[in-house]
Amino acid sequence: MTDVDTASNAQAYSVSELAFALKRTLEDAYGFVRLRAELSKVTFHSNGHVYLTLKDERAAIDGVVWKGSVRNLSVRPEQGLEVIVTGKITTYPAGSRYQIVIETMEAAGVGALLAQLERLKAKLQAEGLFEPGAKRPLPAMPAVVGVITSPTGAVIRDILHRIRDRWPCRVIVWPVVVQGDSAAAQVGNAIARFNALTPGGPVPRPDIIIVARGGGSVEDLWAFNDETLARTVFEGTIPLISAVGHETDTTLIDFVSDRRAPTPTAAAEMATPVLAELRAAIADLSARLHRGGGRAVEDRRGRVENAGRALARVPDLVEMAAQRFNLAASRLGAGLSRNVAAHHTQLVRVSSRLSPGLLQRPQRVQADRVKSVGERLAASLDRNVTLHRTELARVAARLTPSLLQRPQQLQADALSRVAVRLQPAMDRGLQRATERLTSLAKLHASVDPSAPLKRGFARVHRADGSLVREGASLLSGEGVRLVFADQSREATIDGTPAATALPTKPLRAAKLPATPSPQGDLF
């Protein structure tokens, strides 16, 4: 057998068969692989899947993280992040490409995590989340302190013990996990819920919040480097103190918070004052106030005494005023006497010039003036009456009966002319209305459905009242109603339709029985 015969006898695969055979082969051979690579072309699709590329210095492979596996990733996929992933190799038959379906992802060492943290810090700093102007001042004497930490461990006990020793206030503990995949979400939710509380509600709203956690490795504290958590802290309205890890540990939340404490105990000291110190300060201020007040009173008293010595004696002021009063009183009687004598002399001088004739002179002048005006008024009235009487006579001379009757005659002539034209117009209108009524009556008679019945025709109706238009639509034994001009009869269809056309002679009512029966015969 030749090579040509062998090639012609080989099995021919379809493209789909070959593609899916390769898919099964790869999945069976590489059902579980672990890769260390750098992420690039990271795309978060709207359906929840994540598409990316894993690469090193010489090769690259596409990867996909299905929506259900995204929440289980230890780190958020980012451009340039060095990671270690696990999954299986598969193919995409429609595009002849192979890819890895990623199930887990973790940072490739501390260096990768720190590099990712530095990129995120630079991004948030560029957006202004670290600006000092955005920091909120801490309350001096908080009434309610909110603590977000693990409910077990030494951190919460240290905070409560320190607050109890320093300041009497209410402490609300929001328990969360402080390590693991869900830690960032729980801490962020606690901060948001604290900020959502309303003042005066059933749960008091904290005046300050403490987020605390004990020390640990970079991986243990990585939940506090979450971008969403940092933005939640920045968007809050309640002042927040971060106390995550030891003094040498630094997380992203430390840069966004309003104050960073090196330890949880130090956070409790920042959040609350010392009651004993406040009382001592108040007592010291009170003593200083009393001492200052005493000194101010003594100073004012001395100044008043000095000013009093500079003033004149009261008896001296009264004696001088009494002397002036006595002097004025001694001169008052003589002054009054001189004033009365002067007014009496002036009264005598004025009264000598007053006489009855002097008082009556204005009255005579007014009387003469009134008389003169009355004479002129009478003459003017006489002239006005004469003038109006002359005008009335002139107008009356022009008013005659013929002048008044002229408009009436004109109106009568116009009315006669209109009456002559009105009668022919009424006759013509009545004739046109009569002709139109006659034509409408003829039209009504032509379209009257009962008119053919008077000429010997009949209408055939089914039992339901519908009109029969074709004989072929009637069935043998079907009941019908025949409508004539004067009355209607019931009938029943009998026999089969004839092959030839029915005669055109109309069916006469006289051929039916005189008394209608429940069922008749139609031939």
Side-chain angles (χ1 to χ4, degrees):
M1 182 180 295
T2 63
D3 294 339
V4 176
D5 295 335
T6 303
S8 62
N9 294 329
Q11 181 182 359
Y13 291 97
S14 66
V15 176
S16 299
E17 291 175 345
L18 179 59
F20 282 101
L22 293 173
K23 177 181 176 67
R24 288 191 298 271
T25 301
L26 281 176
E27 290 179 352
D28 293 340
Y30 300 96
F32 177 83
V33 294
R34 193 164 185 263
L35 294 179
R36 181 187 182 106
E38 179 183 344
L39 298 182
S40 65
K41 300 180 182 179
V42 180
T43 303
F44 291 86
H45 199 271
S46 59
N47 56 16
H49 306 323
V50 180
Y51 299 95
L52 48 84
T53 299
L54 300 168
K55 67 177 183 177
D56 58 12
E57 296 81 358
R58 294 181 296 177
I61 181 174
D62 292 335
V64 60
V65 185
W66 301 129
K67 178 180 179 181
S69 301
V70 172
R71 64 174 65 93
N72 298 326
L73 301 180
S74 300
V75 294
R76 177 182 174 85
E78 292 184 2
Q79 180 78 19
L81 180 63
E82 187 176 359
V83 295
I84 297 177
V85 300
T86 61
K88 66 177 180 178
I89 302 297
T90 184
T91 64
Y92 181 60
S96 298
R97 297 193 305 270
Y98 68 92
Q99 60 186 5
I100 178 172
V101 178
I102 300 173
E103 298 175 356
T104 64
M105 179 184 297
E106 59 185 11
V110 176
L113 291 176
L114 295 179
Q116 181 185 12
L117 177 60
E118 290 301 324
R119 288 192 296 271
L120 184 56
K121 283 172 56 179
K123 174 184 175 182
L124 298 182
Q125 186 172 9
E127 296 181 11
L129 271 67
F130 301 163
E131 292 295 330
K135 307 297 183 183
R136 295 171 289 268
L138 303 183
M141 292 178 288
V144 181
V145 177
V147 180
I148 301 174
T149 187
S150 173
T152 60
V155 172
I156 185 61
R157 291 195 299 269
D158 292 344
I159 292 176
L160 295 178
H161 177 71
R162 196 58 177 164
I163 293 177
R164 189 183 305 112
D165 292 343
R166 293 171 58 88
W167 179 250
C169 64
R170 183 171 181 177
V171 180
I172 301 177
V173 179
W174 195 295
V176 295
V177 295
V178 293
Q179 182 176 339
D181 298 336
S182 61
Q186 291 191 20
V187 174
N189 178 64
I191 295 173
R193 296 291 293 276
F194 267 142
N195 282 275
L197 294 176
T198 57
V203 179
R205 191 172 190 262
D207 299 317
I208 190 170
I209 299 174
I210 298 176
V211 178
R213 187 204 186 282
S217 63
V218 175
E219 291 81 359
D220 296 337
L221 304 179
W222 193 253
F224 295 91
N225 293 320
D226 184 72
E227 179 181 0
T228 304
L229 176 59
R231 295 187 183 277
T232 303
V233 173
F234 180 78
E235 294 170 358
T237 58
I238 301 176
L240 186 141
I241 300 175
S242 64
V244 178
H246 299 300
E247 186 172 1
T248 57
D249 298 326
T250 303
T251 60
L252 194 61
I253 192 176
D254 295 332
F255 297 96
V256 188
S257 62
D258 301 297
R259 189 73 62 84
R260 176 185 181 270
T263 61
T265 303
E269 294 176 354
M270 290 181 181
T272 58
V274 180
L275 181 60
E277 293 178 357
L278 289 179
R279 288 175 177 173
I282 292 174
D284 180 63
L285 292 175
S286 178
R288 293 172 58 187
L289 178 63
H290 286 295
R291 291 194 299 270
R295 287 194 299 269
V297 171
E298 291 297 330
D299 180 65
R300 298 299 189 278
R301 182 182 291 112
R303 294 170 61 182
V304 169
E305 291 177 355
N306 294 333
R309 286 192 293 268
L311 295 175
R313 294 171 58 250
V314 175
D316 296 340
L317 297 176
V318 173
E319 290 175 356
M320 294 177 61
Q323 185 179 4
R324 290 194 298 271
F325 176 76
N326 294 332
L327 181 60
S330 63
R331 293 183 294 180
L332 180 61
L336 290 176
S337 299
R338 289 194 298 272
N339 190 23
V340 170
H343 283 79
H344 182 266
T345 302
Q346 187 177 2
L347 177 60
V348 171
R349 186 171 60 252
V350 172
S351 61
S352 63
R353 293 184 295 177
L354 295 178
S355 61
L358 185 63
L359 297 177
Q360 293 175 357
R361 183 183 303 170
Q363 298 178 2
R364 289 195 299 269
V365 173
Q366 293 294 333
D368 294 342
R369 185 178 299 172
V370 170
K371 182 178 179 181
S372 175
V373 171
E375 293 175 353
R376 288 184 294 173
L377 179 62
S380 177
L381 290 175
D382 292 341
R383 288 194 301 271
N384 192 18
V385 169
T386 302
L387 180 62
H388 283 79
R389 185 180 289 113
T390 304
E391 183 69 19
L392 179 62
R394 185 171 62 254
V395 172
R398 290 185 298 174
L399 294 177
T400 59
S402 60
L403 183 64
L404 298 175
Q405 294 175 357
R406 186 181 302 168
Q408 299 178 2
Q409 185 64 34
L410 294 176
Q411 295 292 334
D413 295 343
L415 183 61
S416 299
R417 290 194 298 272
V418 170
V420 170
R421 294 197 305 268
L422 182 61
Q423 187 61 39
M426 292 177 61
D427 294 340
R428 288 193 300 272
L430 181 61
Q431 183 177 0
R432 285 196 297 270
T434 302
E435 293 174 355
R436 183 178 180 185
L437 182 60
T438 302
S439 62
L440 291 176
K442 293 179 180 179
L443 179 61
H444 178 269
S446 64
V447 299
D448 186 7
S450 300
L453 302 181
K454 296 178 181 180
R455 298 196 299 270
F457 294 95
R459 291 198 308 271
V460 181
H461 294 268
R462 287 190 172 88
D464 57 0
S466 60
L467 182 65
V468 178
R469 302 182 183 277
E470 296 179 356
S473 63
L474 296 174
L475 302 176
S476 178
E478 182 179 358
V480 297
R481 183 168 58 90
L482 303 178
V483 179
F484 298 94
D486 56 345
Q487 59 184 339
S488 61
R489 290 287 188 270
E490 301 294 333
T492 302
I493 301 300
D494 189 14
T496 58
T500 59
L502 294 176
T504 59
K505 182 179 181 179
L507 182 64
R508 299 292 183 176
K511 295 181 180 181
L512 297 174
T515 303
S517 60
Q519 290 185 346
D521 295 330
L522 178 63
F523 299 98

